[in-house]
Amino acid sequence: MNARQTIFKSILWWIMGVFAVVTVARFVNGLGSATALNDGAPWGFWIAFDVMAGVALAAGGFVVAATVHIFHLKKYEAFARPAILTALIGYAAVALGLMYDLGLPWHIWHPMIFPQVHSVLFEVAMCVMLYLTVLFLEFAPVILEHPLFAWPLFKSIHSLLKRVGVPLVIAGIVLSTLHQSSLGSLFLITPYRLHALWYSPIIWIQFFISAIGLGLMTVTLESFFSAWFFRHRLRMDLLSGLARAGSIVLLLYAAVRFADLDIRGKLGAAFDGSAQANLFLFEMAVAAVIPGVLLAFPKVRNNAKALGTLAFLSVMGVIGYRFDVCIVAFARPEGTTYFPTWLEVAVSLGIVAAGLLTFLFAVQHLKVYPQDHVEPQAPQAGRAARRFEPAVVRSMLPESLAAPRRASLAVLTGAALAVAFLPQDALFGARPLPAPVQLSRTVDAWVLPRSGAFGHDFILPGPDGTPPAGAQAAALTMIDGNRDGRLVLFNHQRHEDVLGGDGACVLCHHQDMPFHENTECYLCHRDMYSVTDIFDHSSHVAWLDGNAGCARCHTDPDAVRSRATAMPCLECHVDMVAAGARVKLPAEGMTGLAPGYMEAMHELCVRCHEEKAATEPGKYPLELGECRTCHRDIGEVDLKRRWPYLTKEGP
Amino acid sequence: MDAMLEWARGPVFVFSLTFMLLGLLRHVLVTFYEMRRTLGRAGDKVLPYRQILKATAQWLFPAGKIRHEPLFSVTSMIFHVALLVVPLFLGGHILLWQRGLGISWPAIPNALADVLTVVAVVAAVALVVQRAAARASRDLSRASDYLMPLIVALPFATGFLAMHPALNPFPHQAMLFLHVMSGNLVLVLLPITRLSHAVLLPSLQLVAELGWRWPLDAGSKVEKALGKQGEPI
């Protein structure tokens, strides 16, 4: 291997290391942890790149097969094997990418036994499965030529496959035509969500024509890659022929899209200067117009550099078309955004890297390129000139040992970096989102005693409301810590009165912050659901004179310095805990960890209500301790639905 | 400073630990693969397993080897004991494992850890001094031989100061940051430097033995590498 191959392969293996880690994260902790996909954007980067663009990129297989075997342009036979290999790897990559995107990837075979015959997606699924099989059978003879398969059985399979070659090619063309267009047909269901410049009733024709153009350009680009990587000879005579066909197809594609817009009266929208219009013009220019026009000139398409650049431009443009249809020009519900996480991009890059490594492996071990393609390698100058050093074992290492060492080091570095940069959710599984709690507000309301029942009804007056008969005005505390629209109205004044006036504050306000009294709940219980740390270590370090102060709290030199072994807070903050509070300190004393707001409220209010109902049955009804005493915005049905989460025992 | 400390204890530590674990695993796999391959190509496939096992055991617990170079050997052994015991069995470190992954094991007393930490730093310096003092070892040494014990001693020195804030003239968080980062550095260096003998040590005798099992055509390859085919070497 030369330095170019070594570096390129090492980069591919490095990506494989990242890919491996991301794969584990995606399948262990799920789509939600690893991706930015959501219910508003269920189709993201993977569908756009791995499936939509992947299938189109692999179109070279059937285009070249048709050229050689149906149109009998035998001179292009040199491209047949590489194109079919690329298509095979491309379709395998599509299937692999789909496994990442499906929520239940082990159901991927279900279309075969649960056919949904009215579904376009069913047709796509069946075609892709069948075409993958056809591609494998088309490429199998190349594999069977390897000396490993020099057995009579394999020889007879080889000759059988050779005999059914043309039927296979025809099947491949039929299947490709069907699903290349059907991937576009999928979007016929979204006439209002897909932007008018991309939506079209004939979007399936546009997908098919652009796939043919992309297939030709991909085969061209792949020749450039092989020439660069393997130092193969560039067959400019053949490539220029492909480019001529490509030019015609790309111009046809551009004509169909512009004509379609014009006929439907939407062409004006392309020139209104909006972001979408500019994106559309840019996409068309890059994908079809510029390469199509320039490649029409023999002088341009016979120039290797120009041809390579234009092929690259066109490939990027058509991939961009698939991205635009799938993601960019696709309207999402209000408030839903989608931007892929780096893990999604890493999976797609990893699949590409795996495909490239498979391609390189196949080219090295199988007769993919005809012999006259392969230029004899120039003898490497460095090897002979190297001085023999007994100390340097590496110079004696055979190539077959150095390659696995390099590859494994690249994989290792990629994997370790990926683990370090995994988002917390992808590393440890999804955790509750932070739900910061805010101060409760006071609202003016009417309080209406219930006739013949315990308690009062609360009525929030509208702007011009008149109070119902018997209602009294009162200021209620609106408890809706995380401002999610669900709220509890709390009659603070009435609780104060019933529980004994001014002295009753400490019953609930159980802890005072320094230089504070009757501290509000939300100042310590800072998250709706999670435990929060309310101890400020760095401030204590500053107040207690830095390093010299450590021993004032961490008094025991033999103990591990931690929250548990430090001096109890109450030794200094003697009046922090209110005497006579209902809320008792935990057994281990004050820890600086405050339970979530919801738990704190439930533990305080529900326990007290239950106790009152049990100890003073004449004064309070039994249902005082039930949810709806406070949660008046929840109906019966809602309560039933939620019971496993609200009580420990159930109803 | 707090944010930097979080960064060092978070992503950088995760990277270093993963790199170390996977890297050492890679070393073991590559070593076994190559040993297997060497044996497969060797002309003489008969290995004296009993002797190899004995030599391996002797070098794993080299008490019997002290007489060759007593002072250096004892320093080196003490250095290695401190190196293994303190990071793995310090109570503060075990607490971090407990918090992060919920696993824990018995800790050594902090006082013992203090002593071993000082021993490790002193032994590291002593190893470098002894290496530089003798002409024979000086001639055999490369820069990394002097550097490596000092790099390994860094987390010990910074850790000692972090454990004893009263003796530490620098801000505590900054010292903790240096401690974590130097520890991360050692973790990363483990699989890519000679420190990998931490896992490869049990196989060294076997590798050395296999190294003398030449392939049948080894002679002609040496001739070719030297460019002296057909000439006397």
Side-chain angles (χ1 to χ4, degrees), chain A residues 85-285:
Chain A
L85 174 62
T86 313
L88 174 61
I89 293 172
Y91 274 84
V94 168
L96 183 65
L98 210 49
M99 298 293 275
Y100 283 78
D101 189 77
L102 293 175
L104 306 175
W106 50 92
H107 285 183
I108 194 169
W109 53 280
H110 273 195
M112 286 193 283
I113 56 159
F114 302 119
Q116 176 52 266
V117 291
H118 299 291
S119 159
V120 178
L121 208 50
F122 164 71
E123 189 230 305
V124 173
M126 289 310 293
C127 281
V128 170
M129 274 191 255
L130 288 172
Y131 187 45
L132 189 55
T133 315
V134 166
L135 278 170
F136 179 73
L137 293 177
E138 278 186 279
F139 191 68
V142 184
I143 301 175
L144 293 174
E145 280 168 17
H146 193 271
L148 202 66
F149 301 100
W151 299 69
L153 173 68
F154 293 122
K155 292 246 183 254
S156 53
I157 295 176
H158 181 257
S159 62
L160 181 73
L161 286 174
K162 280 267 177 199
R163 247 180 292 149
V164 296
V166 171
L168 278 177
V169 167
I170 294 170
I173 294 167
V174 171
L175 290 167
S176 290
T177 309
L178 281 169
H179 71 259
Q180 291 284 3
S181 58
S182 296
L183 281 174
S185 311
L186 287 173
F187 292 92
L188 290 177
I189 205 172
T190 60
Y192 305 109
R193 288 184 68 176
L194 191 54
H195 190 273
L197 286 172
W198 281 271
Y199 175 77
S200 158
I202 57 159
I203 189 171
W204 46 282
I205 294 180
Q206 297 168 355
F207 260 59
F208 181 64
I209 302 177
S210 61
I212 294 177
L214 182 62
L216 290 166
M217 290 297 118
T218 315
V219 172
T220 308
L221 208 56
E222 180 208 294
S223 284
F224 276 91
F225 169 74
S226 296
W228 171 79
F229 189 82
F230 295 110
R231 298 174 187 281
H232 284 174
R233 199 156 58 83
L234 210 51
R235 293 289 304 269
M236 280 310 291
D237 51 331
L238 298 181
L239 287 176
S240 132
L242 283 187
R244 189 164 151 255
S247 156
I248 295 167
V249 176
L250 288 175
L251 287 176
L252 176 67
Y253 161 66
V256 167
R257 273 196 81 182
F258 280 112
D260 167 62
L261 285 175
D262 190 33
I263 289 166
R264 292 185 300 113
K266 298 272 167 54
L267 193 56
F271 300 97
D272 65 4
S274 66
Q276 286 91 340
N278 291 338
L279 179 68
F280 169 79
L281 292 177
F282 178 70
E283 179 209 299
M284 285 311 294

Side-chain angles (χ1 to χ4, degrees), chain A residues 388 400 405 408 420 547 559 561, chain B residues 26 34 110 162-163 168 170:
Chain A
F388 177 72
S400 56
R405 282 181 171 218
S408 60
N547 291 358
R561 283 201 290 267
Chain B
R26 164 180 173 267
E34 292 183 2
N110 281 350
M163 276 289 273
N168 176 13
F170 308 103

Side-chain angles (χ1 to χ4, degrees), chain A residues 201-553:
Chain A
I202 57 159
I203 189 171
W204 46 282
I205 294 180
Q206 297 168 355
F207 260 59
F208 181 64
I209 302 177
S210 61
I212 294 177
L214 182 62
L216 290 166
M217 290 297 118
T218 315
V219 172
T220 308
L221 208 56
E222 180 208 294
S223 284
F224 276 91
F225 169 74
S226 296
W228 171 79
F229 189 82
F230 295 110
R231 298 174 187 281
H232 284 174
R233 199 156 58 83
L234 210 51
R235 293 289 304 269
M236 280 310 291
D237 51 331
L238 298 181
L239 287 176
S240 132
L242 283 187
R244 189 164 151 255
S247 156
I248 295 167
V249 176
L250 288 175
L251 287 176
L252 176 67
Y253 161 66
V256 167
R257 273 196 81 182
F258 280 112
D260 167 62
L261 285 175
D262 190 33
I263 289 166
R264 292 185 300 113
K266 298 272 167 54
L267 193 56
F271 300 97
D272 65 4
S274 66
Q276 286 91 340
N278 291 338
L279 179 68
F280 169 79
L281 292 177
F282 178 70
E283 179 209 299
M284 285 311 294
V286 170
V289 178
I290 295 176
V293 169
L294 287 180
L295 289 177
F297 297 101
K299 205 175 168 186
V300 175
R301 62 173 185 258
N302 283 321
N303 179 324
K305 275 184 185 158
L307 178 55
T309 311
L310 289 172
F312 179 76
L313 211 60
S314 171
V315 166
M316 288 298 131
V318 180
I319 292 178
Y321 172 44
R322 300 301 197 261
F323 264 90
D324 288 345
V325 169
C326 245
I327 301 178
V328 184
F330 200 78
R332 267 174 262 290
E334 193 71 35
T336 335
T337 55
Y338 172 76
F339 191 82
T341 61
W342 73 260
L343 290 92
E344 287 175 74
V345 181
V347 164
S348 293
L349 281 179
I351 291 174
V352 171
L356 275 172
L357 284 169
T358 316
F359 180 82
L360 296 178
F361 180 84
V363 171
Q364 266 160 9
H365 294 271
L366 304 170
K367 287 180 192 137
V368 175
Y369 284 97
Q371 279 307 305
D372 62 337
H373 246 64
V374 185
E375 210 172 51
Q377 290 258 340
Q380 289 179 14
R383 189 55 63 89
R386 186 184 282 164
R387 195 162 54 85
F388 177 72
E389 286 177 61
V392 182
V393 186
R394 204 154 299 231
S395 65
M396 293 283 284
L397 271 181
E399 186 57 42
S400 56
L401 276 184
R405 282 181 171 218
R406 251 191 318 261
S408 60
L409 188 64
V411 168
L412 155 70
T413 316
L417 264 179
V419 173
F421 283 98
L422 277 186
Q424 292 282 302
D425 280 5
L427 190 57
F428 295 116
R431 291 173 309 168
L433 294 171
V437 171
Q438 299 177 50
L439 176 62
S440 56
R441 290 164 291 185
T442 304
V443 290
D444 290 322
W446 292 315
V447 175
L448 185 66
R450 286 175 184 157
S451 56
F454 176 82
H456 300 78
D457 285 324
F458 299 147
I459 298 150
L460 292 181
D464 54 349
T466 47
Q472 288 181 333
L476 299 181
T477 306
M478 188 161 73
I479 302 176
D480 58 343
N482 58 345
R483 300 283 197 267
D484 71 344
R486 309 297 300 274
L487 52 92
V488 164
L489 290 175
F490 175 67
N491 198 338
H492 193 276
Q493 188 61 48
R494 184 172 159 77
H495 279 78
E496 214 178 302
D497 296 343
V498 169
L499 294 173
D502 266 356
C505 302
V506 294
L507 285 176
C508 302
H509 295 276
H510 59 106
Q511 195 165 317
D512 297 328
M513 285 193 136
F515 313 108
H516 203 238
E517 208 178 348
N518 294 336
T519 299
E520 291 90 342
C521 318
Y522 84 108
L523 283 174
C524 294
H525 304 287
R526 293 172 192 170
D527 190 275
M528 198 68 187
Y529 310 105
S530 309
V531 173
T532 38
D533 185 3
I534 56 169
F535 176 68
D536 185 352
H537 188 268
S538 45
S539 298
H540 279 77
V541 170
W543 291 320
L544 298 175
D545 304 329
N547 291 358
C550 295
R552 289 182 58 185
C553 299

